[in-house]
Amino acid sequence: QVQLVESGGGLVQAGGSLRLSCVPSGIIFTIGTMGWYRQAPGKQRELVATIFSDGGTNYADSVKGRFTISRDNAKKTVYLQMNSLTPEDTAVYYCTVERMTTNRGPLLNIWGQGTQVTVSS
């Protein structure tokens, strides 16, 4: 079974930085749009950033200028570089892939298990 494996979360002080990574397990041939969402306690899950196959990106207003999404197509990995973190960034961060083709066929709307990011004041 193909899964998205996230890493890089943790505890950081306000003003600090973290880098999240997400890579699918299994035999993957192609990956489409990749992205990061987050969900803070008591709040709805929200989009953080997406990156398209051609490298185009989209960010939530709350993270523009602080977060950078990137992808390594050879490694089939997506990254989220988070700088100038604030306590408001505290949430579980989820990696997602819109569509990918695998040795077992195409998969749609795949989500990772989430990684906790906690920013202390």
Side-chain angles (χ1 to χ4, degrees), residues 4 31-35 52 96-100 107-110:
L4 296 179
I31 298 183
T33 300
M34 307 177 81
F52 304 101
T96 182
V97 172
E98 184 179 69
R99 185 183 192 278
M100 59 182 170
L107 296 175
L108 304 176
N109 296 324
I110 306 98

Side-chain angles (χ1 to χ4, degrees), residues 89-110:
D89 295 315
T90 295
V92 177
Y93 284 70
Y94 297 91
C95 171
T96 182
V97 172
E98 184 179 69
R99 185 183 192 278
M100 59 182 170
T101 56
T102 77
N103 63 323
R104 297 187 177 187
L107 296 175
L108 304 176
N109 296 324
I110 306 98

Side-chain angles (χ1 to χ4, degrees), residues 13-18 65-67 81-87 89 119:
Q13 288 188 332
S17 299
L18 284 174
R66 300 188 300 121
F67 290 11
Q81 177 66 44
M82 304 185 294
N83 299 329
S84 302
L85 286 161
T86 73
D89 295 315
V119 185

Side-chain angles (χ1 to χ4, degrees), residues 9-22:
L11 174 63
V12 64
Q13 288 188 332
S17 299
L18 284 174
R19 189 193 194 205
L20 306 183
S21 300
C22 173

Side-chain angles (χ1 to χ4, degrees), residues 10-95:
L11 174 63
V12 64
Q13 288 188 332
S17 299
L18 284 174
R19 189 193 194 205
L20 306 183
S21 300
C22 173
V23 59
S25 62
I27 300 175
I28 311 301
F29 299 128
T30 63
I31 298 183
T33 300
M34 307 177 81
W36 292 93
Y37 283 71
R38 67 186 181 186
Q39 187 166 19
K43 294 186 177 181
Q44 289 187 332
R45 190 172 297 188
E46 63 175 0
L47 172 68
V48 176
T50 54
I51 185 165
F52 304 101
S53 301
D54 62 1
T57 58
N58 180 49
Y59 293 94
D61 288 342
S62 59
V63 306
K64 283 181 180 177
R66 300 188 300 121
F67 290 11
T68 301
I69 189 170
S70 60
R71 61 191 289 167
D72 184 328
N73 289 328
K75 296 182 179 180
K76 297 181 174 60
T77 301
V78 62
Y79 305 96
L80 186 67
Q81 177 66 44
M82 304 185 294
N83 299 329
S84 302
L85 286 161
T86 73
E88 288 68 37
D89 295 315
T90 295
V92 177
Y93 284 70
Y94 297 91
C95 171

